[in-house]
Amino acid sequence: MNWREKISETYLRGYSWRLRLETLFLSLLLLDQWPGLDGQRLIPTWAFVILATAAYFLLLRGAELFVRRFLHFLLPPATLELTLLAVSYWLHREVLVGASNIVSGNDRVFFLLPLILILITFLSGWIYFRRTPLWLKVLWSLLPLAALSFFLLPGIKGPEESTQVLREIPPKYQVEVLSYGPGSQWSVGSSSYTRRASFTPFQRKLRKKIKGYDLSNIPHGGIIYLPEGLEEAPTLFFIHGNHNMLTESHLGYDYLGRYLAARGVAFVSVDETLLNGYMGSGAGNENDVRALLLLDNMSSLTRESEDPQSELYRRLNPQAYYVGGHSRGGEGAATAASLTAWERLLDDGRALELDFTIRGVVAVAPTYGQYLPAGHQLPLKLPYFLIHGSHDMDVARVQGLDQYAHATGEKYQWFLPYANHGQFNELWGRRDKAGLKGLHLHTAPIVERRAQEELLSVGTYAFLRHLEGDSSYWNQLEAYLPLEEIYQRGGTGEVLASFQDDLDLTREGEVEISSSSSTWREEALATSGKNSGEERVLAVRLNSGNHLQLKFPPREAASIAFDVAYERAPVALTVEVGGREYSVEEQKPPMETQPLKWQLITGETTAKNSLQTVEIPLEAPEEISEIRITAEGSGLVYFDDFRIELPPKND
């Protein structure tokens, strides 16, 4: 037997078993190609995964046996096996790239990790199904077990963060829960949106069969949480985001509804699940529909609150409505609030006849830019509260900052360390990506769901009470939340410079800007690795003795404020106003995170950054015309929203 025959015999030994293992591995990778894998609710997920994998395996085995019997002259053994391995490699690389779109890419990892798994699969078939020593088989088993554990286990726990409420805001009311619309005996109307959104013919028929309605007659529906015995309660209308249509996502904010209603704020969670994805597809151009469906629900319930025969009679206060939402719902809520300033829609002329008043917006990990009427950004002239988690692996960039930049007046942002996207909804979970992509996410550092819910509940209630004229909780949140762990920005007052729409580096309106730094530019702020948005900041590299200076016509001021972030470590800053110097309290540096498991192997990190507000109360209200900032350290500092703050409310 010559050397070629020996190599051929060695290769063919265990060939059939290798193909079985490789086909099984490929079947697992094909799970991400199964439309709606994460959304079916007929059987448990683990059972569905087994059945789907078995189905793929049988199909692939049938195709493989057909090729080996009838097409062996085209695909000899080595070519067939190489094809299976190449397809598996490509599919896993696609999964890895899809999971890694939240951080800067790493071509070395994208090449090596799928290759290592392919080699483990190939060599497992070689070692397990030929005459190899038992000790080698046992030793080799550690590799597949390690690979399996890598994907199934959540990762390494991050640093301990105190996210528990320190002191509870006491409840005052019993909570009454009502449902309206589909599945209840209480119908309040429906709306048609066939001109503004669309489904494929298959999706339209499928959704009509499952839900019982389509875009031509979406019923107004949802869950209402009411404080018992309270009339004309201020009301927060809330809309969920995009998840699988079969998940009743509007039920996932029960914790928030009960918390607010027990403290005197009615809460309505609106059902917009028809617009969500299913079987790999969702509605086209639907975010304006989310906003309009919210407004239509608000109009229907307002009429109910004015009807003496209705269960809602005098339970809601149409002059004290607030809107909020999560994910796409956060964008939809801000869009709805923006539209209330219009008499007609810009893109189709529809008249907006609203019989209520929206006073503010709460946006939780929102998207932005999915609805830009006639290509215009949406201005927002109402108070805006933006909440986002550092470990959001769905809306990884803080897209709400783009809306924040186009909001005028009172606005605030909270950036929550170790909070993710899904846990703001009780039904969405810790993994912000579905299928195999979710197994690549490093979920161990994420806070517990209950702690994340408490942060949102307390912050939302305090914000709404603040807008209602009672700022006692909003001004003393440190007593109810560990605010030293939250990146906070925002406030009220006259904005001197925001660096958003002006192209002149040395002037914004009446404000003259100068710096002694050699690095001095405007740029988009990167909040998450490679991702940046529309919010522009002033980036200044300050070394000891360098300064940044703003001059403007005299203004009466009780305090000044600005937002600041750092490229790396905080830089000690001194602010000179009215001939006096004030030291800036050191702010938090960017978070170095590892949202993906492969980063645990390479040691790479992803920086999560957020601006934080610095407020400097003046010794006494006075007239000022200049702000000068100098550094006592060295580093790149980002500045935004220089403003003269109004005195804080003490009521």
PDB file of all heavy atoms in Angstrom, residues 401 404 413-415 487-490 525 527 535-538 562-566 587-588 609-614 637-641:
ATOM      1  N   LEU A 401     -30.736  59.814  22.453  1.00  0.00           N
ATOM      2  CA  LEU A 401     -30.010  61.071  22.508  1.00  0.00           C
ATOM      3  C   LEU A 401     -30.278  61.918  21.270  1.00  0.00           C
ATOM      4  O   LEU A 401     -30.161  63.144  21.312  1.00  0.00           O
ATOM      5  CB  LEU A 401     -28.505  60.808  22.646  1.00  0.00           C
ATOM      6  CG  LEU A 401     -28.044  60.308  24.023  1.00  0.00           C
ATOM      7  CD1 LEU A 401     -26.562  59.993  24.003  1.00  0.00           C
ATOM      8  CD2 LEU A 401     -28.360  61.335  25.101  1.00  0.00           C
ATOM      9  N   TYR A 404     -33.302  63.581  22.223  1.00  0.00           N
ATOM     10  CA  TYR A 404     -32.915  64.503  23.299  1.00  0.00           C
ATOM     11  C   TYR A 404     -32.318  65.777  22.708  1.00  0.00           C
ATOM     12  O   TYR A 404     -32.595  66.890  23.177  1.00  0.00           O
ATOM     13  CB  TYR A 404     -31.902  63.794  24.194  1.00  0.00           C
ATOM     14  CG  TYR A 404     -31.514  64.524  25.461  1.00  0.00           C
ATOM     15  CD1 TYR A 404     -32.125  64.217  26.672  1.00  0.00           C
ATOM     16  CD2 TYR A 404     -30.515  65.487  25.462  1.00  0.00           C
ATOM     17  CE1 TYR A 404     -31.756  64.859  27.845  1.00  0.00           C
ATOM     18  CE2 TYR A 404     -30.139  66.144  26.621  1.00  0.00           C
ATOM     19  CZ  TYR A 404     -30.756  65.826  27.814  1.00  0.00           C
ATOM     20  OH  TYR A 404     -30.395  66.473  28.974  1.00  0.00           O
ATOM     21  N   GLN A 413     -31.731  62.841  31.328  1.00  0.00           N
ATOM     22  CA  GLN A 413     -31.304  61.514  30.890  1.00  0.00           C
ATOM     23  C   GLN A 413     -30.702  60.750  32.057  1.00  0.00           C
ATOM     24  O   GLN A 413     -29.919  61.300  32.837  1.00  0.00           O
ATOM     25  CB  GLN A 413     -30.254  61.603  29.772  1.00  0.00           C
ATOM     26  CG  GLN A 413     -29.791  60.233  29.279  1.00  0.00           C
ATOM     27  CD  GLN A 413     -28.384  60.248  28.689  1.00  0.00           C
ATOM     28  OE1 GLN A 413     -27.802  61.301  28.486  1.00  0.00           O
ATOM     29  NE2 GLN A 413     -27.833  59.081  28.427  1.00  0.00           N
ATOM     30  N   TRP A 414     -31.080  59.472  32.172  1.00  0.00           N
ATOM     31  CA  TRP A 414     -30.425  58.541  33.088  1.00  0.00           C
ATOM     32  C   TRP A 414     -29.776  57.439  32.269  1.00  0.00           C
ATOM     33  O   TRP A 414     -30.413  56.840  31.401  1.00  0.00           O
ATOM     34  CB  TRP A 414     -31.435  57.891  34.041  1.00  0.00           C
ATOM     35  CG  TRP A 414     -31.877  58.757  35.169  1.00  0.00           C
ATOM     36  CD1 TRP A 414     -31.594  60.068  35.393  1.00  0.00           C
ATOM     37  CD2 TRP A 414     -32.729  58.340  36.254  1.00  0.00           C
ATOM     38  NE1 TRP A 414     -32.188  60.503  36.538  1.00  0.00           N
ATOM     39  CE2 TRP A 414     -32.888  59.475  37.089  1.00  0.00           C
ATOM     40  CE3 TRP A 414     -33.335  57.142  36.599  1.00  0.00           C
ATOM     41  CZ2 TRP A 414     -33.656  59.422  38.250  1.00  0.00           C
ATOM     42  CZ3 TRP A 414     -34.101  57.092  37.755  1.00  0.00           C
ATOM     43  CH2 TRP A 414     -34.261  58.222  38.575  1.00  0.00           C
ATOM     44  N   PHE A 415     -28.508  57.176  32.566  1.00  0.00           N
ATOM     45  CA  PHE A 415     -27.781  56.067  31.960  1.00  0.00           C
ATOM     46  C   PHE A 415     -27.509  55.071  33.084  1.00  0.00           C
ATOM     47  O   PHE A 415     -26.776  55.380  34.024  1.00  0.00           O
ATOM     48  CB  PHE A 415     -26.486  56.580  31.337  1.00  0.00           C
ATOM     49  CG  PHE A 415     -25.752  55.570  30.491  1.00  0.00           C
ATOM     50  CD1 PHE A 415     -26.328  55.042  29.348  1.00  0.00           C
ATOM     51  CD2 PHE A 415     -24.469  55.161  30.837  1.00  0.00           C
ATOM     52  CE1 PHE A 415     -25.645  54.131  28.564  1.00  0.00           C
ATOM     53  CE2 PHE A 415     -23.782  54.255  30.062  1.00  0.00           C
ATOM     54  CZ  PHE A 415     -24.375  53.739  28.917  1.00  0.00           C
ATOM     55  N   TYR A 487     -25.509  57.612  35.807  1.00  0.00           N
ATOM     56  CA  TYR A 487     -25.054  58.774  35.056  1.00  0.00           C
ATOM     57  C   TYR A 487     -26.291  59.651  34.798  1.00  0.00           C
ATOM     58  O   TYR A 487     -27.232  59.218  34.144  1.00  0.00           O
ATOM     59  CB  TYR A 487     -24.446  58.364  33.725  1.00  0.00           C
ATOM     60  CG  TYR A 487     -23.154  57.577  33.822  1.00  0.00           C
ATOM     61  CD1 TYR A 487     -23.143  56.262  34.266  1.00  0.00           C
ATOM     62  CD2 TYR A 487     -21.946  58.148  33.431  1.00  0.00           C
ATOM     63  CE1 TYR A 487     -21.961  55.533  34.336  1.00  0.00           C
ATOM     64  CE2 TYR A 487     -20.753  57.428  33.492  1.00  0.00           C
ATOM     65  CZ  TYR A 487     -20.774  56.115  33.953  1.00  0.00           C
ATOM     66  OH  TYR A 487     -19.598  55.399  34.014  1.00  0.00           O
ATOM     67  N   GLN A 488     -26.274  60.895  35.305  1.00  0.00           N
ATOM     68  CA  GLN A 488     -27.424  61.779  35.170  1.00  0.00           C
ATOM     69  C   GLN A 488     -27.043  63.050  34.439  1.00  0.00           C
ATOM     70  O   GLN A 488     -25.950  63.589  34.629  1.00  0.00           O
ATOM     71  CB  GLN A 488     -27.952  62.185  36.547  1.00  0.00           C
ATOM     72  CG  GLN A 488     -28.427  61.055  37.413  1.00  0.00           C
ATOM     73  CD  GLN A 488     -28.898  61.615  38.740  1.00  0.00           C
ATOM     74  OE1 GLN A 488     -30.021  62.078  38.887  1.00  0.00           O
ATOM     75  NE2 GLN A 488     -28.009  61.611  39.716  1.00  0.00           N
ATOM     76  N   ARG A 489     -27.987  63.521  33.629  1.00  0.00           N
ATOM     77  CA  ARG A 489     -27.802  64.822  32.998  1.00  0.00           C
ATOM     78  C   ARG A 489     -29.155  65.472  32.803  1.00  0.00           C
ATOM     79  O   ARG A 489     -30.195  64.803  32.851  1.00  0.00           O
ATOM     80  CB  ARG A 489     -27.084  64.696  31.655  1.00  0.00           C
ATOM     81  CG  ARG A 489     -27.903  63.991  30.590  1.00  0.00           C
ATOM     82  CD  ARG A 489     -27.181  63.874  29.264  1.00  0.00           C
ATOM     83  NE  ARG A 489     -26.950  65.158  28.635  1.00  0.00           N
ATOM     84  CZ  ARG A 489     -26.840  65.315  27.316  1.00  0.00           C
ATOM     85  NH1 ARG A 489     -26.937  64.272  26.508  1.00  0.00           N
ATOM     86  NH2 ARG A 489     -26.630  66.498  26.799  1.00  0.00           N
ATOM     87  N   GLY A 490     -29.131  66.777  32.557  1.00  0.00           N
ATOM     88  CA  GLY A 490     -30.350  67.485  32.221  1.00  0.00           C
ATOM     89  C   GLY A 490     -30.738  68.519  33.235  1.00  0.00           C
ATOM     90  O   GLY A 490     -30.103  68.684  34.283  1.00  0.00           O
ATOM     91  N   LEU A 525     -21.041  62.426  19.659  1.00  0.00           N
ATOM     92  CA  LEU A 525     -20.608  61.695  20.850  1.00  0.00           C
ATOM     93  C   LEU A 525     -20.813  60.200  20.645  1.00  0.00           C
ATOM     94  O   LEU A 525     -21.925  59.755  20.317  1.00  0.00           O
ATOM     95  CB  LEU A 525     -21.393  62.162  22.067  1.00  0.00           C
ATOM     96  CG  LEU A 525     -21.076  61.427  23.372  1.00  0.00           C
ATOM     97  CD1 LEU A 525     -19.670  61.754  23.842  1.00  0.00           C
ATOM     98  CD2 LEU A 525     -22.095  61.789  24.450  1.00  0.00           C
ATOM     99  N   THR A 527     -21.411  56.892  22.324  1.00  0.00           N
ATOM    100  CA  THR A 527     -21.835  56.398  23.634  1.00  0.00           C
ATOM    101  C   THR A 527     -21.556  54.923  23.819  1.00  0.00           C
ATOM    102  O   THR A 527     -21.582  54.419  24.926  1.00  0.00           O
ATOM    103  CB  THR A 527     -23.339  56.634  23.823  1.00  0.00           C
ATOM    104  OG1 THR A 527     -24.051  55.984  22.761  1.00  0.00           O
ATOM    105  CG2 THR A 527     -23.662  58.115  23.801  1.00  0.00           C
ATOM    106  N   GLU A 535     -26.268  63.629  18.260  1.00  0.00           N
ATOM    107  CA  GLU A 535     -25.960  64.628  19.269  1.00  0.00           C
ATOM    108  C   GLU A 535     -24.502  65.047  19.158  1.00  0.00           C
ATOM    109  O   GLU A 535     -23.584  64.238  19.254  1.00  0.00           O
ATOM    110  CB  GLU A 535     -26.245  64.107  20.682  1.00  0.00           C
ATOM    111  CG  GLU A 535     -26.096  65.229  21.689  1.00  0.00           C
ATOM    112  CD  GLU A 535     -26.355  64.792  23.110  1.00  0.00           C
ATOM    113  OE1 GLU A 535     -25.940  63.693  23.475  1.00  0.00           O
ATOM    114  OE2 GLU A 535     -26.967  65.562  23.846  1.00  0.00           O
ATOM    115  N   ARG A 536     -24.301  66.339  18.940  1.00  0.00           N
ATOM    116  CA  ARG A 536     -22.961  66.886  18.788  1.00  0.00           C
ATOM    117  C   ARG A 536     -22.477  67.457  20.114  1.00  0.00           C
ATOM    118  O   ARG A 536     -23.261  67.996  20.903  1.00  0.00           O
ATOM    119  CB  ARG A 536     -22.936  67.983  17.725  1.00  0.00           C
ATOM    120  CG  ARG A 536     -23.402  67.548  16.342  1.00  0.00           C
ATOM    121  CD  ARG A 536     -22.556  66.397  15.808  1.00  0.00           C
ATOM    122  NE  ARG A 536     -22.773  66.168  14.394  1.00  0.00           N
ATOM    123  CZ  ARG A 536     -23.613  65.275  13.892  1.00  0.00           C
ATOM    124  NH1 ARG A 536     -24.345  64.550  14.713  1.00  0.00           N
ATOM    125  NH2 ARG A 536     -23.728  65.103  12.604  1.00  0.00           N
ATOM    126  N   VAL A 537     -21.179  67.345  20.338  1.00  0.00           N
ATOM    127  CA  VAL A 537     -20.557  67.888  21.546  1.00  0.00           C
ATOM    128  C   VAL A 537     -19.320  68.677  21.138  1.00  0.00           C
ATOM    129  O   VAL A 537     -18.831  68.579  20.002  1.00  0.00           O
ATOM    130  CB  VAL A 537     -20.162  66.767  22.531  1.00  0.00           C
ATOM    131  CG1 VAL A 537     -21.386  66.045  23.042  1.00  0.00           C
ATOM    132  CG2 VAL A 537     -19.192  65.775  21.871  1.00  0.00           C
ATOM    133  N   LEU A 538     -18.819  69.456  22.073  1.00  0.00           N
ATOM    134  CA  LEU A 538     -17.562  70.165  21.888  1.00  0.00           C
ATOM    135  C   LEU A 538     -16.471  69.345  22.556  1.00  0.00           C
ATOM    136  O   LEU A 538     -16.502  69.139  23.773  1.00  0.00           O
ATOM    137  CB  LEU A 538     -17.642  71.561  22.504  1.00  0.00           C
ATOM    138  CG  LEU A 538     -16.423  72.462  22.289  1.00  0.00           C
ATOM    139  CD1 LEU A 538     -16.282  72.825  20.816  1.00  0.00           C
ATOM    140  CD2 LEU A 538     -16.536  73.728  23.136  1.00  0.00           C
ATOM    141  N   PHE A 562     -23.534  72.637  32.958  1.00  0.00           N
ATOM    142  CA  PHE A 562     -23.132  72.113  31.655  1.00  0.00           C
ATOM    143  C   PHE A 562     -22.987  70.608  31.787  1.00  0.00           C
ATOM    144  O   PHE A 562     -22.890  70.058  32.892  1.00  0.00           O
ATOM    145  CB  PHE A 562     -21.826  72.753  31.158  1.00  0.00           C
ATOM    146  CG  PHE A 562     -20.660  72.633  32.104  1.00  0.00           C
ATOM    147  CD1 PHE A 562     -19.795  71.548  32.068  1.00  0.00           C
ATOM    148  CD2 PHE A 562     -20.407  73.634  33.040  1.00  0.00           C
ATOM    149  CE1 PHE A 562     -18.728  71.447  32.936  1.00  0.00           C
ATOM    150  CE2 PHE A 562     -19.339  73.543  33.921  1.00  0.00           C
ATOM    151  CZ  PHE A 562     -18.488  72.448  33.866  1.00  0.00           C
ATOM    152  N   ASP A 563     -23.001  69.939  30.651  1.00  0.00           N
ATOM    153  CA  ASP A 563     -22.855  68.480  30.623  1.00  0.00           C
ATOM    154  C   ASP A 563     -21.441  68.135  30.206  1.00  0.00           C
ATOM    155  O   ASP A 563     -20.868  68.776  29.308  1.00  0.00           O
ATOM    156  CB  ASP A 563     -23.852  67.856  29.643  1.00  0.00           C
ATOM    157  CG  ASP A 563     -25.294  68.132  30.043  1.00  0.00           C
ATOM    158  OD1 ASP A 563     -25.525  68.422  31.224  1.00  0.00           O
ATOM    159  OD2 ASP A 563     -26.175  68.070  29.168  1.00  0.00           O
ATOM    160  N   VAL A 564     -20.873  67.106  30.840  1.00  0.00           N
ATOM    161  CA  VAL A 564     -19.480  66.770  30.600  1.00  0.00           C
ATOM    162  C   VAL A 564     -19.301  65.256  30.569  1.00  0.00           C
ATOM    163  O   VAL A 564     -20.017  64.505  31.243  1.00  0.00           O
ATOM    164  CB  VAL A 564     -18.580  67.405  31.696  1.00  0.00           C
ATOM    165  CG1 VAL A 564     -18.878  66.797  33.064  1.00  0.00           C
ATOM    166  CG2 VAL A 564     -17.107  67.264  31.361  1.00  0.00           C
ATOM    167  N   ALA A 565     -18.362  64.804  29.739  1.00  0.00           N
ATOM    168  CA  ALA A 565     -17.929  63.404  29.709  1.00  0.00           C
ATOM    169  C   ALA A 565     -16.456  63.396  29.354  1.00  0.00           C
ATOM    170  O   ALA A 565     -15.896  64.406  28.904  1.00  0.00           O
ATOM    171  CB  ALA A 565     -18.746  62.593  28.697  1.00  0.00           C
ATOM    172  N   TYR A 566     -15.835  62.233  29.547  1.00  0.00           N
ATOM    173  CA  TYR A 566     -14.396  62.127  29.337  1.00  0.00           C
ATOM    174  C   TYR A 566     -14.082  60.975  28.396  1.00  0.00           C
ATOM    175  O   TYR A 566     -14.800  59.975  28.355  1.00  0.00           O
ATOM    176  CB  TYR A 566     -13.674  61.903  30.672  1.00  0.00           C
ATOM    177  CG  TYR A 566     -14.057  62.908  31.725  1.00  0.00           C
ATOM    178  CD1 TYR A 566     -15.022  62.611  32.682  1.00  0.00           C
ATOM    179  CD2 TYR A 566     -13.473  64.171  31.755  1.00  0.00           C
ATOM    180  CE1 TYR A 566     -15.394  63.539  33.646  1.00  0.00           C
ATOM    181  CE2 TYR A 566     -13.836  65.104  32.718  1.00  0.00           C
ATOM    182  CZ  TYR A 566     -14.802  64.776  33.659  1.00  0.00           C
ATOM    183  OH  TYR A 566     -15.165  65.697  34.604  1.00  0.00           O
ATOM    184  N   GLN A 587     -16.512  63.618  38.106  1.00  0.00           N
ATOM    185  CA  GLN A 587     -17.598  62.835  37.525  1.00  0.00           C
ATOM    186  C   GLN A 587     -17.120  61.416  37.217  1.00  0.00           C
ATOM    187  O   GLN A 587     -15.938  61.089  37.315  1.00  0.00           O
ATOM    188  CB  GLN A 587     -18.104  63.509  36.249  1.00  0.00           C
ATOM    189  CG  GLN A 587     -18.543  64.952  36.451  1.00  0.00           C
ATOM    190  CD  GLN A 587     -19.722  65.077  37.386  1.00  0.00           C
ATOM    191  OE1 GLN A 587     -20.765  64.515  37.140  1.00  0.00           O
ATOM    192  NE2 GLN A 587     -19.535  65.815  38.473  1.00  0.00           N
ATOM    193  N   LYS A 588     -18.044  60.587  36.822  1.00  0.00           N
ATOM    194  CA  LYS A 588     -17.724  59.168  36.559  1.00  0.00           C
ATOM    195  C   LYS A 588     -17.034  59.010  35.204  1.00  0.00           C
ATOM    196  O   LYS A 588     -17.402  59.678  34.232  1.00  0.00           O
ATOM    197  CB  LYS A 588     -19.004  58.329  36.604  1.00  0.00           C
ATOM    198  CG  LYS A 588     -19.572  58.157  38.000  1.00  0.00           C
ATOM    199  CD  LYS A 588     -20.852  57.354  38.005  1.00  0.00           C
ATOM    200  CE  LYS A 588     -22.030  58.230  37.618  1.00  0.00           C
ATOM    201  NZ  LYS A 588     -22.280  59.293  38.625  1.00  0.00           N
ATOM    202  N   ASN A 609     -20.226  55.268  27.357  1.00  0.00           N
ATOM    203  CA  ASN A 609     -20.002  56.615  27.872  1.00  0.00           C
ATOM    204  C   ASN A 609     -21.312  57.388  27.939  1.00  0.00           C
ATOM    205  O   ASN A 609     -22.260  57.090  27.212  1.00  0.00           O
ATOM    206  CB  ASN A 609     -19.016  57.360  26.975  1.00  0.00           C
ATOM    207  CG  ASN A 609     -18.230  58.411  27.739  1.00  0.00           C
ATOM    208  OD1 ASN A 609     -18.495  58.675  28.908  1.00  0.00           O
ATOM    209  ND2 ASN A 609     -17.258  59.010  27.082  1.00  0.00           N
ATOM    210  N   SER A 610     -21.360  58.365  28.806  1.00  0.00           N
ATOM    211  CA  SER A 610     -22.538  59.210  28.920  1.00  0.00           C
ATOM    212  C   SER A 610     -22.150  60.561  29.491  1.00  0.00           C
ATOM    213  O   SER A 610     -21.289  60.647  30.376  1.00  0.00           O
ATOM    214  CB  SER A 610     -23.592  58.561  29.818  1.00  0.00           C
ATOM    215  OG  SER A 610     -24.726  59.398  29.953  1.00  0.00           O
ATOM    216  N   LEU A 611     -22.777  61.597  28.970  1.00  0.00           N
ATOM    217  CA  LEU A 611     -22.601  62.922  29.550  1.00  0.00           C
ATOM    218  C   LEU A 611     -23.250  62.977  30.927  1.00  0.00           C
ATOM    219  O   LEU A 611     -24.232  62.280  31.196  1.00  0.00           O
ATOM    220  CB  LEU A 611     -23.228  63.972  28.638  1.00  0.00           C
ATOM    221  CG  LEU A 611     -22.481  64.235  27.322  1.00  0.00           C
ATOM    222  CD1 LEU A 611     -23.406  64.886  26.319  1.00  0.00           C
ATOM    223  CD2 LEU A 611     -21.248  65.093  27.555  1.00  0.00           C
ATOM    224  N   GLN A 612     -22.698  63.822  31.800  1.00  0.00           N
ATOM    225  CA  GLN A 612     -23.226  64.013  33.149  1.00  0.00           C
ATOM    226  C   GLN A 612     -23.302  65.508  33.423  1.00  0.00           C
ATOM    227  O   GLN A 612     -22.441  66.271  32.980  1.00  0.00           O
ATOM    228  CB  GLN A 612     -22.307  63.354  34.178  1.00  0.00           C
ATOM    229  CG  GLN A 612     -22.053  61.869  33.914  1.00  0.00           C
ATOM    230  CD  GLN A 612     -20.716  61.416  34.475  1.00  0.00           C
ATOM    231  OE1 GLN A 612     -20.597  61.192  35.671  1.00  0.00           O
ATOM    232  NE2 GLN A 612     -19.706  61.287  33.636  1.00  0.00           N
ATOM    233  N   THR A 613     -24.325  65.915  34.123  1.00  0.00           N
ATOM    234  CA  THR A 613     -24.527  67.340  34.372  1.00  0.00           C
ATOM    235  C   THR A 613     -23.730  67.812  35.579  1.00  0.00           C
ATOM    236  O   THR A 613     -23.751  67.185  36.643  1.00  0.00           O
ATOM    237  CB  THR A 613     -26.017  67.648  34.577  1.00  0.00           C
ATOM    238  OG1 THR A 613     -26.686  67.511  33.320  1.00  0.00           O
ATOM    239  CG2 THR A 613     -26.227  69.065  35.087  1.00  0.00           C
ATOM    240  N   VAL A 614     -23.037  68.903  35.392  1.00  0.00           N
ATOM    241  CA  VAL A 614     -22.356  69.617  36.468  1.00  0.00           C
ATOM    242  C   VAL A 614     -23.148  70.891  36.718  1.00  0.00           C
ATOM    243  O   VAL A 614     -23.368  71.684  35.787  1.00  0.00           O
ATOM    244  CB  VAL A 614     -20.910  69.966  36.079  1.00  0.00           C
ATOM    245  CG1 VAL A 614     -20.294  70.910  37.110  1.00  0.00           C
ATOM    246  CG2 VAL A 614     -20.079  68.703  35.933  1.00  0.00           C
ATOM    247  N   VAL A 637     -11.919  66.079  26.888  1.00  0.00           N
ATOM    248  CA  VAL A 637     -13.155  66.327  27.622  1.00  0.00           C
ATOM    249  C   VAL A 637     -14.238  66.731  26.625  1.00  0.00           C
ATOM    250  O   VAL A 637     -13.997  67.512  25.700  1.00  0.00           O
ATOM    251  CB  VAL A 637     -12.963  67.443  28.671  1.00  0.00           C
ATOM    252  CG1 VAL A 637     -14.215  67.595  29.524  1.00  0.00           C
ATOM    253  CG2 VAL A 637     -11.756  67.149  29.551  1.00  0.00           C
ATOM    254  N   TYR A 638     -15.443  66.165  26.826  1.00  0.00           N
ATOM    255  CA  TYR A 638     -16.579  66.497  25.969  1.00  0.00           C
ATOM    256  C   TYR A 638     -17.531  67.411  26.744  1.00  0.00           C
ATOM    257  O   TYR A 638     -17.903  67.101  27.876  1.00  0.00           O
ATOM    258  CB  TYR A 638     -17.320  65.234  25.542  1.00  0.00           C
ATOM    259  CG  TYR A 638     -16.447  64.198  24.875  1.00  0.00           C
ATOM    260  CD1 TYR A 638     -16.131  63.006  25.529  1.00  0.00           C
ATOM    261  CD2 TYR A 638     -15.928  64.413  23.602  1.00  0.00           C
ATOM    262  CE1 TYR A 638     -15.335  62.054  24.927  1.00  0.00           C
ATOM    263  CE2 TYR A 638     -15.122  63.460  22.989  1.00  0.00           C
ATOM    264  CZ  TYR A 638     -14.824  62.287  23.659  1.00  0.00           C
ATOM    265  OH  TYR A 638     -14.033  61.342  23.066  1.00  0.00           O
ATOM    266  N   PHE A 639     -17.955  68.516  26.104  1.00  0.00           N
ATOM    267  CA  PHE A 639     -18.868  69.470  26.727  1.00  0.00           C
ATOM    268  C   PHE A 639     -20.138  69.596  25.886  1.00  0.00           C
ATOM    269  O   PHE A 639     -20.104  69.496  24.659  1.00  0.00           O
ATOM    270  CB  PHE A 639     -18.219  70.854  26.844  1.00  0.00           C
ATOM    271  CG  PHE A 639     -17.025  70.918  27.746  1.00  0.00           C
ATOM    272  CD1 PHE A 639     -15.742  70.847  27.223  1.00  0.00           C
ATOM    273  CD2 PHE A 639     -17.173  71.060  29.120  1.00  0.00           C
ATOM    274  CE1 PHE A 639     -14.626  70.921  28.047  1.00  0.00           C
ATOM    275  CE2 PHE A 639     -16.065  71.127  29.953  1.00  0.00           C
ATOM    276  CZ  PHE A 639     -14.785  71.057  29.422  1.00  0.00           C
ATOM    277  N   ASP A 640     -21.256  69.842  26.563  1.00  0.00           N
ATOM    278  CA  ASP A 640     -22.508  70.079  25.854  1.00  0.00           C
ATOM    279  C   ASP A 640     -23.450  70.878  26.751  1.00  0.00           C
ATOM    280  O   ASP A 640     -23.310  70.883  27.982  1.00  0.00           O
ATOM    281  CB  ASP A 640     -23.159  68.751  25.461  1.00  0.00           C
ATOM    282  CG  ASP A 640     -24.234  68.932  24.396  1.00  0.00           C
ATOM    283  OD1 ASP A 640     -24.295  70.007  23.778  1.00  0.00           O
ATOM    284  OD2 ASP A 640     -25.020  67.984  24.181  1.00  0.00           O
ATOM    285  N   ASP A 641     -24.401  71.544  26.130  1.00  0.00           N
ATOM    286  CA  ASP A 641     -25.514  72.223  26.805  1.00  0.00           C
ATOM    287  C   ASP A 641     -25.065  73.116  27.964  1.00  0.00           C
ATOM    288  O   ASP A 641     -25.463  72.922  29.124  1.00  0.00           O
ATOM    289  CB  ASP A 641     -26.537  71.196  27.310  1.00  0.00           C
ATOM    290  CG  ASP A 641     -27.418  70.660  26.183  1.00  0.00           C
ATOM    291  OD1 ASP A 641     -27.277  71.138  25.045  1.00  0.00           O
ATOM    292  OD2 ASP A 641     -28.228  69.767  26.457  1.00  0.00           O
TER     293      ASP A 641
END
